[in-house]
Amino acid sequence: MRLSLAAAISHGRVYRRFGLSPRSRLDLLRNLVTALVRHERIETPWARADEMRGYAERLIDYAKRGDTDERAMRMADFWLTEKDLIHKLFKVLAPRFQPHPGSYTRLLQIPNRDGLDRAKMAVIELKGNPLPPLVRPRRDSDKTLLNQLLKGYRQDAQRAAAH
Amino acid sequence: VLVLVRSPLPRLRALLQRHCGRLERGLWPGVLGGQSPPWGPALAVQGPALLPQWINDAGESSAKAPSLLESILWMAAPKKRRTIEVNRCRRRNPDKLIEIKRNIDVCPECGNLKQKHVLCGYCYAKVKAETRLIRMEIRKKEGGPFNAPTVETVVLYEGEKPTEKDEGKRIIERARKRPSWFVQN
């Protein structure tokens, strides 16, 4: 009869394990957040990007409070290792995202890495960045059957309204 | 009122340890075949399934030494050769085959193949190359490390003038025609 719980069960755990220790995991994510704020678009393994996304968005929420807020400044000081980015965060990113209520980042999967590990990679970017767009919004073609039928219906309705 | 709750596990463990000990020492009544406990009744013998071994041993123990076949450890081995038909059934079973991917599509921009939930490799490589050149221009403009600007950035190609939306922004010039997939907004 088993008298101890198996150590391999991790039901309900939300945080992934990275690096050598919990502190190392935070350092890793902190480097990624700094890189994202500096370059506005980075390419990393999908798991790290996914984990980092939450931290980055919460940092921007803190930045939206304004740089006079003590808590926000302490958070920015911890999370951004390069201190010139604190100015960029409060003066560029906070005004840019002021109208948006949430979801300031975009996470997209890219083909697996070319090296031996074939890791699942993702590109994470801040919305509204000046770089070329990754995905072009596709407008529906006018030549599909459904669109032609709708066009015909619209024309019939206009003709009926005209008479 | 303080309520002390002890977990039931140590008590259970102690109970099992005591009974394991008793089992090992052969004092648990009637479990291990044939041996009656030392204090059992002399006349009324507990009925074991086999007769106690010492009755027969007296005759045979002198004749037979413990044979080699009983003392070595037997291990599992296949009895018969697995036929090719049986082997084929096992090897070609659906869950051993590689799954075919049904999520491959054609990229509408360039016509290369891509997975539905993944960005097109060719288009992404194009965007990555252009981003790299833009970042080289940014590096030249900034001059050194840790010079991130405190204003927005806008990228302008050959022959383009900043509009009224690009008022207070830092301008990055790229010496080429604007690519068709980079729409100016």
Side-chain angles (χ1 to χ4, degrees):
Chain A
M1 171 178 124
R2 257 205 309 179
L3 295 171
S4 64
L5 281 174
I9 298 178
S10 80
H11 290 167
R13 309 282 171 123
V14 282
Y15 302 118
R16 291 178 180 84
R17 303 163 98 189
F18 289 122
L20 316 155
S21 71
R23 180 67 209 215
S24 144
R25 168 184 171 272
L26 281 176
D27 287 336
L28 231 142
L29 295 175
R30 189 165 56 162
N31 287 341
L32 286 171
V33 170
T34 308
L36 181 67
V37 170
R38 159 149 279 170
H39 299 113
E40 304 207 22
R41 177 187 290 171
I42 55 176
E43 182 185 309
T44 100
W46 190 88
R48 291 184 191 189
D50 194 49
E51 195 82 3
M52 189 262 278
R53 199 177 180 196
Y55 288 102
E57 301 207 344
R58 273 173 208 256
L59 180 66
I60 297 178
D61 280 326
Y62 267 106
K64 277 202 210 175
R65 291 191 193 184
D67 60 358
T68 45
D69 192 78
E70 175 56 33
R71 192 96 194 269
M73 191 47 84
R74 281 210 340 252
M75 275 291 179
D77 187 50
F78 175 79
W79 280 98
L80 301 171
T81 51
E82 293 160 18
K83 301 308 168 187
D84 57 318
L85 293 175
I86 301 181
H87 300 280
K88 179 177 177 183
L89 177 72
F90 284 107
K91 293 184 187 159
V92 176
L93 299 181
R96 192 205 283 182
F97 295 122
Q98 203 66 48
H100 299 261
S103 91
Y104 317 115
T105 55
R106 188 177 288 130
L107 178 70
L108 297 158
Q109 191 181 344
I110 49 185
N112 288 356
R113 202 193 269 163
D114 283 328
L116 182 66
D117 63 352
R118 311 293 297 171
K120 180 179 182 184
M121 297 292 277
V123 58
I124 180 167
E125 63 167 7
L126 294 170
K127 292 185 182 167
N129 65 71
L131 304 167
L134 285 168
V135 53
R136 275 181 74 184
R138 275 247 126 194
R139 273 209 50 200
D140 232 355
S141 159
D142 206 27
K143 299 184 181 108
T144 61
L145 179 63
L146 184 61
N147 283 345
Q148 286 284 299
L149 291 171
L150 287 170
K151 191 166 127 189
Y153 179 80
R154 247 181 275 127
Q155 284 172 351
D156 288 342
Q158 279 169 4
R159 243 177 275 138
H163 293 327
Chain B
V1 168
L2 243 136
V3 179
L4 264 174
V5 179
R6 270 186 297 158
S7 71
L9 290 176
R11 204 176 287 160
L12 217 54
R13 206 180 286 139
L15 188 81
L16 277 173
Q17 276 170 359
R18 265 181 290 148
H19 292 306
C20 280
R22 290 182 71 174
L23 265 168
E24 279 170 1
R25 276 172 274 139
L27 294 176
W28 196 264
V31 176
L32 304 169
Q35 301 162 17
S36 53
W39 60 79
L43 292 175
V45 185
Q46 292 180 9
L50 333 119
L51 277 173
Q53 288 156 351
W54 51 266
I55 291 178
N56 297 321
D57 268 352
E60 294 171 10
S61 54
S62 47
K64 250 174 43 174
S67 92
L68 196 62
L69 292 172
E70 285 160 8
S71 53
I72 60 174
L73 182 63
W74 287 109
M75 290 189 65
K79 194 70 180 177
K80 302 295 271 172
R81 177 207 158 110
R82 279 162 149 180
T83 60
I84 186 62
E85 294 89 1
V86 165
N87 281 340
R88 280 197 196 115
C89 287
R90 184 184 66 257
R91 290 167 191 163
R92 296 181 188 184
N93 183 32
D95 53 74
K96 288 209 179 174
L97 301 175
I98 303 174
E99 301 182 8
I100 43 171
K101 289 193 205 279
R102 296 184 192 277
N103 52 2
I104 304 180
D105 255 345
V106 170
C107 170
E109 310 278 316
C110 60
N112 287 313
L113 296 174
K114 70 184 268 294
Q115 279 193 298
K116 285 185 187 161
H117 60 289
V118 179
L119 294 183
C120 168
Y122 186 81
C123 301
Y124 178 68
K126 246 184 354 190
V127 171
K128 201 167 151 183
E130 184 60 30
T131 322
R132 187 176 149 269
L133 296 168
I134 294 175
R135 285 198 181 136
M136 268 165 46
E137 297 287 322
I138 292 177
R139 239 176 56 195
K140 265 190 274 177
K141 193 144 201 191
E142 284 183 2
F146 310 130
N147 290 344
T150 52
V151 287
E152 292 267 10
T153 311
V154 72
V155 181
L156 293 177
Y157 287 87
E158 228 153 54
E160 285 175 11
K161 296 280 171 288
T163 62
E164 45 324 305
K165 271 196 299 181
D166 313 328
E167 271 312 288
K169 298 188 188 175
R170 156 178 83 152
I171 296 175
I172 303 290
E173 307 272 316
R174 276 279 295 128
R176 59 156 281 183
K177 192 168 74 79
R178 181 168 279 265
S180 58
W181 40 270
F182 189 179
V183 176
Q184 187 177 21
N185 42 338

